[in-house]
Amino acid sequence: MTDGLVTTNPALIGEREAAEVRDAMPSAGPVLALPLTYLTGKPYTGQRGPRLRPGHHVVFGFVSMLGGLALSCWALSGLLAGIWWFSPVLVAGWAVSLHGMRNLRMMVYHQAAHRNLWARQSVDRPLGRVIAGVLMVQDFERYTVEHVADHHAVHHMTVRDPTVQAFLIGLRLAPGMSRRRMWARVLVTLVNPVFHARFLIGRIRSYFQPASARTRYVTAGVYLLIAVALVWTGWWPFALVCWVWPLTVPYQVSNTLRLCVKHTFPSPLAAERKGRDYFGSLTNAIFIGEAAPEPGRGIVHVGRWARWWARMLLLHFPSRYLVLTGDTVCHDFHHRRPMSREWAGYVFERQADVDGGHPGWPQYRAVWGLVPAISVVFDSLSAADPREYSVDRIAAISGRDLFSAFDD
């Protein structure tokens, strides 16, 4: 069945149902309530949150990235000294670094490209350029133009959109494929070294090729000086293990899984490909977590709560911390209010828009959990028009390294 816009899916629920799931979770006391809200991406009914500003996300991103790097270096020094139990500390350092990298990319760099970080080009643009050079992602100036022109506005979720290109070319998914086949192809892709090598090369090319000569020379010079210093001091193994590794394969795994939940594909039965009802239907929130156990007593009830907490901490928290970082859980709010000056408080600003009746836009929709959210997108692609979403149509579009589309 279709609603004329996107394929319906039982995992997609309205705000009332989403609120019922969140309100049933523990919310007593400030120690638990706020962390659980930022984990899920959904406030409980009536909750008020802190007023975050852009500077908070900039600082948190860099502190996390550099703090994780320091933690990884400390753990690696312990491992080299024969302290084997430092292994989980090294993994934790990678995770903290990756979290910071992804927050800088998905929020700070992204908002700077929209000229909406601090809405001051004298600050937004240099910071965006620095982040692009540090993370080796698409040249900031090119990204700013392509993201707004091809991912927003009339080209959203057409073959001009880099999200669509990454699905059809990079992941080799297509309309008509079953959900199971798409899952299998993505999972195999994520452990394919050829894919990661092409992805990394695409990132490097997307940074250097469009950049100005001055940017290329400065970036290459800085990296050369760092490389010489690392070799000279003998710290190059630390750089490879503690910096290059999380910046490549784990970063690209996170990025690819994030890609798979960004937007649903429109149904072939959609009457019109314009208007707020149409564009609003292509993006939903991805809340992280699941319904809490029903009230009860006894050891069975305790076991159910223990299982719930275990899944929240061991399954849903990594999904939030490493994949759906920052405001990606509320990406639907960004597409409705891309120039909102209150974007830094994304969780509570989205809820305020819901409570205010989201004027001019259709009802918000959401999915609980990363895996169900990916399945919703796969189902929508499976039902999409194969004539519209074809590799041949993308092949007619020139001027883009298709692997750069993964990092849009």
Side-chain angles (χ1 to χ4, degrees):
M1 296 176 62
T2 64
D3 60 6
L5 296 175
V6 295
T7 303
T8 58
N9 192 298
L12 275 172
I13 59 175
E15 278 300 310
R16 179 178 298 177
E17 295 85 352
E20 290 174 355
V21 174
R22 176 64 182 93
D23 288 347
M25 296 180 183
S27 59
V31 174
L32 182 61
L34 195 58
L36 194 56
T37 292
Y38 280 115
L39 167 61
T40 61
K42 175 71 175 175
Y44 64 80
T45 300
Q47 185 182 16
R48 297 293 182 265
R51 186 178 177 85
L52 295 180
R53 310 310 303 166
H56 291 109
H57 295 296
V58 174
V59 172
F60 293 160
F62 278 105
V63 167
S64 178
M65 181 177 67
L66 298 177
L69 175 61
L71 182 62
S72 299
C73 289
W74 177 65
L76 182 58
S77 65
L79 288 172
L80 293 175
I83 309 176
W84 62 268
W85 53 267
F86 270 42
S87 297
V89 180
L90 178 61
V91 175
W94 288 340
V96 174
S97 288
L98 178 61
H99 178 73
M101 294 172 183
R102 294 299 295 157
N103 272 339
L104 288 174
R105 167 59 187 87
M106 299 310 297
M107 278 198 300
V108 178
Y109 176 88
H110 180 217
Q111 289 293 336
H114 278 277
R115 301 179 175 89
N116 195 42
L117 185 58
W118 281 289
R120 296 201 303 269
Q121 287 302 288
S122 60
V123 180
D124 291 6
R125 184 178 296 173
L127 184 56
R129 289 172 175 171
V130 168
I131 292 173
V134 169
L135 301 183
M136 199 48 57
V137 295
Q138 187 177 18
D139 171 68
F140 179 73
E141 310 297 341
R142 175 66 66 86
Y143 173 78
T144 299
V145 173
E146 292 186 351
H147 178 73
V148 175
D150 294 336
H151 185 62
H152 287 263
V154 296
H155 297 304
H156 183 45
M157 291 309 288
T158 69
V159 291
R160 285 279 300 273
D161 191 331
T163 296
V164 173
Q165 296 172 14
F167 262 93
L168 303 185
I169 301 295
L171 296 178
R172 297 181 296 116
L173 305 180
M177 294 177 63
S178 68
R179 178 200 296 181
R180 176 174 295 185
R181 188 180 175 192
M182 291 186 193
W183 266 110
R185 181 156 291 182
V186 168
L187 293 176
V188 169
T189 297
L190 291 178
V191 297
N192 185 348
V194 175
F195 167 80
H196 285 287
R198 293 181 63 193
F199 195 163
L200 180 58
I201 293 170
R203 287 168 61 186
I204 295 172
R205 289 177 59 187
S206 71
Y207 176 82
F208 279 102
Q209 284 186 347
S212 65
R214 181 176 181 272
T215 298
R216 291 197 295 267
Y217 292 143
V218 170
T219 304
V222 169
Y223 272 101
L224 180 60
L225 288 175
I226 292 174
V228 170
L230 290 171
V231 172
W232 182 268
T233 59
W235 276 76
W236 62 269
F238 287 83
L240 290 177
V241 173
C242 303
W243 176 257
V244 175
W245 168 252
L247 185 59
T248 53
V249 175
Y251 181 97
Q252 291 168 183
V253 169
S254 173
N255 202 100
T256 303
L257 291 175
R258 167 70 184 103
L259 167 76
C260 291
V261 296
K262 287 181 69 175
H263 302 287
T264 50
F265 288 76
S267 165
L269 301 182
E272 290 186 315
R273 299 298 178 91
K274 61 182 180 180
R276 289 183 172 182
D277 283 345
Y278 170 70
F279 287 111
S281 74
L282 300 178
T283 316
N284 50 263
I286 305 101
F287 298 140
I288 300 301
E290 58 190 70
E294 297 287 340
R297 296 180 179 179
I299 189 65
V300 174
H301 180 64
V302 172
R304 288 172 179 169
W305 271 105
R307 179 180 181 275
W308 184 83
W309 275 114
R311 287 178 60 83
M312 291 292 288
L313 294 174
L314 302 178
L315 174 64
H316 296 298
F317 173 74
S319 299
R320 177 72 165 110
Y321 192 73
L322 301 177
V323 180
L324 295 175
T325 57
D327 62 350
T328 54
V329 289
C330 300
H331 195 57
D332 53 351
F333 176 71
H334 168 70
H335 273 265
R336 295 175 183 226
R337 307 279 189 264
M339 299 305 293
S340 170
R341 297 297 299 128
E342 303 300 323
W343 65 267
Y346 57 91
V347 168
F348 294 97
E349 289 305 314
R350 180 189 183 278
Q351 188 61 48
D353 195 39
V354 171
D355 296 340
H358 45 83
W361 287 90
Q363 295 286 331
Y364 276 99
R365 301 182 309 172
V367 181
W368 279 97
L370 175 62
V371 172
I374 294 176
S375 293
V376 165
V377 175
F378 286 172
D379 289 348
S380 71
L381 175 56
S382 179
D385 187 348
R387 296 166 299 178
E388 180 179 2
Y389 295 104
S390 68
V391 174
D392 291 339
R393 294 195 66 194
I394 294 178
I397 302 173
S398 60
R400 177 193 289 272
D401 185 321
L402 291 177
F403 268 80
S404 73
F406 273 87
D407 211 37
D408 190 87

